[in-house]
Amino acid sequence: MPTGVHIRDARRHLFDAAERILFRDGPNALTSRAVAAEAGVAKGVLHRHFADFDAFLVDLVQERIARIDDQAAALREAAGTGTVAGNLTGALMDLFDLVAVAIVGLVVFRDELRVRLRQTRPGRGIPVLAEAAAMIASYLDDECELGRIAVDTDADALALSLIGAGHLLFAEREGGPPDAGAVGKVVTAVIADVVQRRLL
């Protein structure tokens, strides 16, 4: 897109470009120059809308977190339906797309980005993963109240186990993402104890 051409929603246009880069090439390829090139705009367009590249990345991460909030509402609505393992498998499949995994990598390895995110979300762990764990824990609490998992389930600890296992499954870019069967196998193993003890 030539310089001077009006972009209806420049921020959205730039975020979409960044997500395409993350999906295709991973976090190491994400630079302000690469985003501008992918978006087809002059590099100055990004700096007209954001104080610097880390400010752009903060908003990109915050937008991904907002998506998790939407996913959390859908997951909690699923409580009491289907199977617990099936619901959790679906949630992890939706959560850990290549873009989300790449964003986690950005947060872990860019110190300035992590510092800025902690200014708005202090003490909450690694952004994206922390919100994902909270989503899973809330769902598990609901299933516990419905009697579908053991009454003494430690939802927070179990959620961390599921998020950690899920992230490991999806972190390998070369082989492509795991299928639902592979994810379901891990989920079933992680929650086996709380499902079995419900029956005792």
Side-chain angles (χ1 to χ4, degrees), residues 87-178:
N87 292 338
L88 289 168
T89 298
L92 293 178
M93 295 291 292
D94 290 342
L95 176 69
F96 285 117
D97 60 26
L98 285 175
V99 174
V101 172
I103 285 176
V104 171
L106 277 175
V107 173
V108 170
F109 292 108
R110 288 186 71 103
D111 292 341
E112 180 60 23
L113 173 59
R114 199 166 53 255
V115 167
R116 293 190 192 193
L117 285 165
R118 283 180 177 158
Q119 290 172 354
T120 59
R121 309 179 82 80
R124 297 195 57 184
I126 298 172
V128 176
L129 293 182
E131 285 75 17
M135 170 183 76
I136 298 294
S138 293
Y139 166 75
L140 290 170
D141 279 335
D142 289 347
E143 292 289 19
C144 187
E145 289 183 11
L146 291 168
R148 300 217 303 168
I149 58 177
V151 68
D152 62 346
T153 296
D154 185 335
D156 291 332
L158 196 55
L160 288 175
S161 297
L162 287 162
I163 292 302
H167 186 248
L168 286 174
L169 282 173
F170 284 87
E172 177 56 55
R173 291 184 63 89
E174 295 301 320

Side-chain angles (χ1 to χ4, degrees), residues 5 35 59-60 63 110 116 155-156 165 181 184:
V5 174
V35 171
D59 282 5
L60 181 67
E63 183 177 83
R110 288 186 71 103
R116 293 190 192 193
D156 291 332

Side-chain angles (χ1 to χ4, degrees), residues 12-104:
R12 176 74 265 153
H13 190 66
L14 292 166
F15 288 155
D16 288 345
E19 290 196 355
R20 287 194 299 273
I21 294 168
L22 288 169
F23 181 86
R24 185 180 63 236
D25 304 317
N28 291 336
L30 193 65
T31 64
S32 59
R33 186 180 303 278
V35 171
E38 181 72 23
V41 300
K43 188 176 177 183
V45 171
L46 189 147
H47 294 287
R48 278 201 297 275
H49 294 275
F50 302 93
D52 54 32
F53 191 55
D54 281 309
F56 169 77
L57 293 178
V58 166
D59 282 5
L60 181 67
V61 174
Q62 298 282 26
E63 183 177 83
R64 178 57 58 154
I65 289 169
R67 292 186 200 181
I68 293 173
D69 292 340
D70 292 338
Q71 290 174 322
L75 181 59
R76 293 191 72 178
E77 286 179 8
T81 67
T83 66
V84 176
N87 292 338
L88 289 168
T89 298
L92 293 178
M93 295 291 292
D94 290 342
L95 176 69
F96 285 117
D97 60 26
L98 285 175
V99 174
V101 172
I103 285 176
V104 171

